[in-house]
Amino acid sequence: MTKEFKLMQGNVALAEGAVYAGCRFYAGYPITPSTEIMEEMSARLPRVGGRFIQMEDEIASISAIVGSSLAGVKSMTATSGPGFSLMQETIGYACITETPMVLVNVMRGGPSTGLPTSPAQGDILQARWGTHGDHPIIVLSPANVEEMFTQAIKAFNLSEQLRNPVIILADEVIGHMRERIAIPDEGQIPIVNRMLMEDVQQNMEEEVLKMDVPPMNRLGVGQHFHTTGLAHNPKGFPSQDPKIVDALMRRLHQKIYDRIEAIEQVEEQFTEDADLIITCIGGVTRSAEAALHELRDQGYNVGLFRPITLFPFPRRRMRMLAKHGTKILVAEMSLGQLHRVVANSIPDRRRVFGLTRVDGEVISPDEIIDMAIKALEDND
């Protein structure tokens, strides 16, 4: 049974989901439009035996949650565009050290200070490629208040299972909207915890070294613990041996792609007979759904494809939907970042149309309807 329905803001729902998933440490710095997450965690964590600390800046915030996670505590921070940029180097450190953690970016207008209180989606490519080097990352993109709760849990589960940072990429619309949601009872949604070396038999050291997701020791409890941002061998010691470095880099990526079916989440509506598919994320979704139903009522065969898992992008499903000549309309609050991702996933980029808006306002249903009809009538 679920508890009674509650009217809840998106940012607050995300904090509730994090606590539900077992998050017990939050370090952060206030920044619009994510600050409510920090405020909620400061109130919730002490009541469940957790710890909250306001740091001096975003670099310190993400560094703190790396340390707390290595010590064995599920940890999270939240920020927006400028702070997200400051965190990039440490995201790379967390990737190569295989440190589980969740990082939330509630996007706003940019670049620089930009539009602090207005929605935007200009951090899509930064979420995937912001840190340097070839690095593995998982990015989830909720589109309503309920998903802010459920995707927070999903993010922690994936992070713990795969020993990898997971980014939740929301936007100001989703962070600040209020909707009625039900908070499940404890235990109703399965929770994943990392595998620890103390849970592995002592005579399995050689097998452990061959695992694609090795178990973790806990820092500060007397166990041997080797971790470094340098390329390293399976025991955690730095190495420049080309074979060892190559094996490390490929394993870090492969552990995600070998589990792609369990990671990828998409929402589809009317894609079976669609001549055109609207693709969007986050705050554009409501407008896209309204446009979809109006276009269907007018007799147009239009569908909706929304990647909840933004990265790894669900390329195979996108390619399958587009293989019969279906056109794609990408509606986004950026100047084509999502368009690039979608176009790179299908053979014929000419069938991908774009609708962008970067003035701090949400794309309207009428804009999507007009662009969809133009795309359907385009014969080039």
Side-chain angles (χ1 to χ4, degrees), residues 10-235:
N11 284 340
V12 173
L14 188 142
E16 286 291 332
V19 172
Y20 188 101
C23 178
R24 293 299 180 266
F25 182 76
Y26 182 100
Y29 186 81
I31 181 171
T32 304
S34 72
T35 302
E36 293 86 0
I37 298 173
M38 177 176 163
E39 293 172 341
E40 186 68 14
M41 293 299 279
S42 71
R44 292 285 284 116
L45 285 178
R47 299 202 293 266
V48 294
R51 295 291 184 271
F52 165 89
I53 182 169
Q54 179 171 327
M55 304 300 291
E56 63 268 30
D57 57 33
E58 291 85 355
I59 298 174
S61 299
I62 190 170
S63 299
I65 70 167
V66 168
S68 60
S69 180
L70 290 175
V73 182
K74 291 185 180 182
S75 305
M76 182 179 79
T77 189
T79 188
S80 189
F84 191 52
S85 299
L86 290 172
M87 294 180 177
Q88 291 302 324
E89 183 180 0
T90 310
I91 293 174
Y93 180 84
C95 288
I96 200 168
T97 58
E98 299 183 83
T99 304
M101 66 177 198
V102 173
L103 193 167
V104 185
N105 177 3
V106 185
M107 293 180 286
R108 67 193 227 186
S112 189
T113 309
L115 296 168
T117 61
S118 299
Q121 296 175 337
D123 299 347
I124 292 172
L125 295 181
Q126 183 181 198
R128 177 61 190 93
W129 299 111
T131 196
H132 61 283
D134 289 313
H135 64 283
I137 203 71
I138 298 172
V139 181
L140 309 179
S141 180
N144 53 58
V145 174
E146 182 179 10
E147 285 186 359
M148 289 287 270
F149 177 84
T150 58
Q151 292 305 306
I153 299 171
K154 180 80 171 181
F156 273 99
N157 284 349
L158 289 173
S159 183
E160 293 285 310
Q161 177 191 3
L162 297 172
R163 287 191 58 180
N164 207 80
V166 175
I167 295 170
I168 298 177
L169 197 64
D171 56 56
E172 187 275 336
V173 172
I174 306 304
H176 284 160
M177 70 163 55
R178 285 175 168 81
E179 293 180 318
R180 195 177 71 142
I181 69 168
I183 304 298
D185 291 328
E186 183 178 351
Q188 192 169 345
I189 299 178
I191 302 300
V192 176
N193 297 310
R194 68 192 65 176
M195 180 169 56
L196 298 171
M197 275 298 298
E198 58 202 60
D199 300 325
V200 178
Q201 297 178 12
Q202 292 183 354
N203 61 355
M204 289 184 63
E205 181 176 356
E206 291 304 316
E207 288 78 3
V208 165
L209 295 178
K210 298 175 184 177
M211 290 181 178
D212 63 341
V213 184
M216 296 184 70
N217 282 331
R218 288 185 294 161
L219 185 66
V221 295
Q223 298 173 338
H224 291 293
F225 196 101
H226 308 294
T227 184
T228 175
L230 293 166
H232 50 270
N233 65 22
K235 292 187 177 181

Side-chain angles (χ1 to χ4, degrees), residues 305-368:
F305 179 84
R306 179 172 67 91
I308 303 172
T309 305
L310 186 54
F311 297 107
F313 188 76
R315 295 169 59 94
R316 287 177 295 180
R317 183 56 183 163
M318 185 88 263
R319 193 179 302 119
M320 185 177 299
L321 292 173
K323 70 179 181 180
H324 299 301
T326 304
K327 296 177 179 179
I328 311 295
L329 171 59
V330 181
E332 58 185 305
M333 290 185 286
S334 76
L335 290 177
Q337 293 191 28
L338 184 59
H339 184 282
R340 289 179 178 90
V341 176
V342 173
N344 286 336
S345 69
I346 66 173
D348 188 358
R349 300 168 62 96
R350 295 172 300 176
R351 287 192 278 116
V352 183
F353 297 81
L355 174 61
T356 64
R357 189 162 187 174
V358 288
D359 59 357
E361 299 293 328
V362 179
I363 295 173
S364 70
D366 287 342
E367 290 176 284
I368 297 175

